[in-house]
Amino acid sequence: MAKPRFQAVRGMNDIIPAQIHYWHKLEYILRDVTARYGYQEIRFPIVEPTALFERSIGQATDIIEKEMFTFNDRDDVSLALRPEGTVGCVRAGLEQGLLHNQIQRFWYMGPMFRYEKPQQGRYRQFHQFGVEAFGMAEPEIDAEQICLCARIWKELGLSDQIKLQINSLGNSESRARYREQLVTYFTQHQDLLDLDSKRRLVSNPLRILDSKNPGMQELINNAPKLVNFLDDTAREHFERLQKLLQAAGISYEINPHLVRGLDYYGLTVYEWVGTGLGAQNAVCAGGRYDALVEQLGGAATPAVGFAMGLERLIALLETTATEQTLPDIYLVMVGSEATAMGLPLAEKIRNELPALKIIVDCTGRGFKNQFKNADKSGAKFAVIIGDSEVANNSVAIKNLRSAEEQQTLPVAELISFLQKRID
Ligand code: HAM
């Protein structure tokens, strides 16, 4: 086979019709469940000024250090493909006057871009579904969003495969005190740190806790824990969140080393982890970011949200049985008169039975070939028109999924036959 002349950009995937039913099911459930919680869709551009992300996500994070797709436009302004949605959502909310002194619940869905090393579950163009709520400081809204996720897993049939981990990052003062302790601890054990962690010790020591290096796990397990540095307000917020989750029947595990890879978080952070997904197993992650709106020029506004990685959820869905919607009818028509009769007949069926899915064979080939196509389509019935059907103003019907005999009907009876036989 000749090699295609062009290939997709590395880490960016095509989604072909054979996979699309998983996406449709997922997207439908995400929209439906989120609407039931009163969240409204917001759309914002895929491209934003690079400085917006640099300022919000944090200079010493992986995303800003090495993962952004940036380019200069013709006016030499640096722009970036969005690596995530929270920052664009806040920018849009501020610019559109939607955040000042207001309570808002937003959702968004779309492609995000990160220049990561592609592997299973990690792509350079991937899709997120996210929600962001503004104007509410209490842990009830954090809990509501976690309940929203849990309901989505339930409706997707994935509840048993996704587990919740939570942590509290406290306020910025406690994080600063913790950071000092952590630096002291890791400095004492410098010889056990890998190269990446040595670099992080200076730039972003909390991220050392995220290291997957098996050789460092013991060192990380024995490191001081952020929970022990929380002040009373943060501790109370975290405890109330846990009580709410317990009351809602949501199981969770406290992961004291969960720190997240973006700098805007404080207080609640969490990740939903999928089983059987390998190294890239976080299917959804989020938390509270009460300082970000102010940092981007708005009034102080508490905020909390999450984002799900749709490719990772699809990978889980692929392990469950999700049925593709197959056509109901495949219309076989052979000969020019049959063709002239077939197309209007298909339109009539679509008018009268709008729920049915009909594929018309437009190949102009012979019966044998068209029957093969009918079979391959997965349709339940073939409606067949040839010269004799045209002459008698009839159609032949064959049940493609049973051994039932083919039968012939007057055209006038076709609609009521289909109505009875296809629910
Ligand atoms: P994040 O943890 O960077 O958080 O990404 C959220 C989710 O997006 C991850 O849990 C994962 O499922 C998916 N994801 C991230 N990178 C990739 C990739 N390269 N390939 C495939 N999937 C990926 C955020 O983006 C925050 N904005 C979440 C948030 C919203 N926090 C508050 N509001």
Side-chain angles (χ1 to χ4, degrees), residues 161-165 271-275 277 281-284 316:
Q161 293 175 66
I162 303 179
K163 304 273 173 270
L164 174 63
Q165 299 188 347
E271 279 187 9
W272 291 90
V273 179
T275 46
L277 283 179
N281 59 1
V283 292
C284 173
L316 287 181

Side-chain angles (χ1 to χ4, degrees), residues 84 86 114 116 121 123 126 128 132 260 264-265 282 305-306 309:
E84 57 102 58
T86 308
R114 294 185 194 175
E116 295 195 78
Y123 309 106
F126 59 99
Q128 279 188 347
E132 315 291 351
R260 309 278 301 117
Y264 48 62
Y265 292 109
F306 66 71

Side-chain angles (χ1 to χ4, degrees), residues 46-260:
I46 283 171
V47 174
E48 299 273 3
T50 306
L52 172 71
F53 297 116
E54 286 173 347
R55 209 183 153 132
S56 325
I57 294 173
Q59 290 289 356
T61 58
D62 284 350
I63 294 182
I64 300 303
E65 274 184 352
K66 53 186 186 197
E67 292 173 1
M68 283 232 283
F69 279 89
T70 54
F71 60 96
N72 282 8
D73 73 3
R74 284 164 201 251
D75 296 324
D76 233 15
V77 176
S78 178
L79 301 177
L81 299 185
R82 59 185 189 190
E84 57 102 58
T86 308
V87 170
C89 183
V90 171
R91 198 272 311 134
L94 279 172
E95 191 168 334
Q96 302 304 324
L98 301 172
L99 303 186
H100 191 66
N101 266 338
Q102 293 178 68
I103 305 296
Q104 296 287 10
R105 286 174 169 84
F106 296 141
W107 69 264
Y108 52 85
M109 179 152 56
M112 308 290 162
F113 302 85
R114 294 185 194 175
Y115 201 88
E116 295 195 78
K117 199 164 170 221
Q119 55 169 262
Q120 187 61 35
R122 190 163 74 190
Y123 309 106
R124 289 185 175 169
Q125 175 177 316
F126 59 99
H127 296 79
Q128 279 188 347
F129 171 85
V131 313
E132 315 291 351
F134 297 94
M136 291 165 276
E138 304 301 317
E140 277 71 19
I141 185 69
D142 311 36
E144 174 185 275
Q145 293 185 346
I146 291 175
C147 290
L148 168 53
C149 294
R151 189 173 297 279
I152 288 170
W153 312 147
K154 190 168 149 213
E155 301 225 349
L156 290 171
L158 295 177
S159 300
D160 293 341
Q161 293 175 66
I162 303 179
K163 304 273 173 270
L164 174 63
Q165 299 188 347
I166 61 173
N167 194 19
S168 174
L169 296 184
N171 59 27
S172 52
E173 293 81 50
S174 16
R175 273 199 306 286
R177 278 192 293 126
Y178 175 62
R179 191 188 148 114
E180 266 172 39
Q181 292 291 314
L182 207 58
V183 171
T184 310
Y185 171 80
F186 283 127
T187 310
Q188 280 162 358
H189 300 92
Q190 272 226 40
D191 44 326
L192 298 173
L193 293 180
D194 59 18
L195 261 182
D196 212 29
S197 301
K198 281 195 176 126
R199 194 175 55 79
R200 282 182 165 153
L201 188 56
V202 184
S203 62
N204 197 349
L206 267 68
R207 292 288 289 164
I208 299 177
L209 301 172
D210 251 3
S211 166
K212 301 276 185 289
N213 182 346
M216 281 179 36
Q217 291 315 303
E218 199 184 325
L219 182 68
I220 290 171
N221 285 339
N222 295 329
K225 303 203 172 14
L226 181 46
V227 209
N228 301 327
F229 289 75
L230 300 185
D231 67 2
D232 290 346
T233 323
R235 188 169 304 113
E236 201 222 342
H237 198 276
F238 194 39
E239 278 165 10
R240 274 177 58 206
L241 171 67
Q242 291 180 57
K243 288 215 176 82
L244 291 163
L245 295 180
Q246 286 157 18
I250 292 178
S251 3
Y252 59 86
E253 183 188 300
I254 297 179
N255 176 354
H257 295 138
L258 181 64
V259 287
R260 309 278 301 117

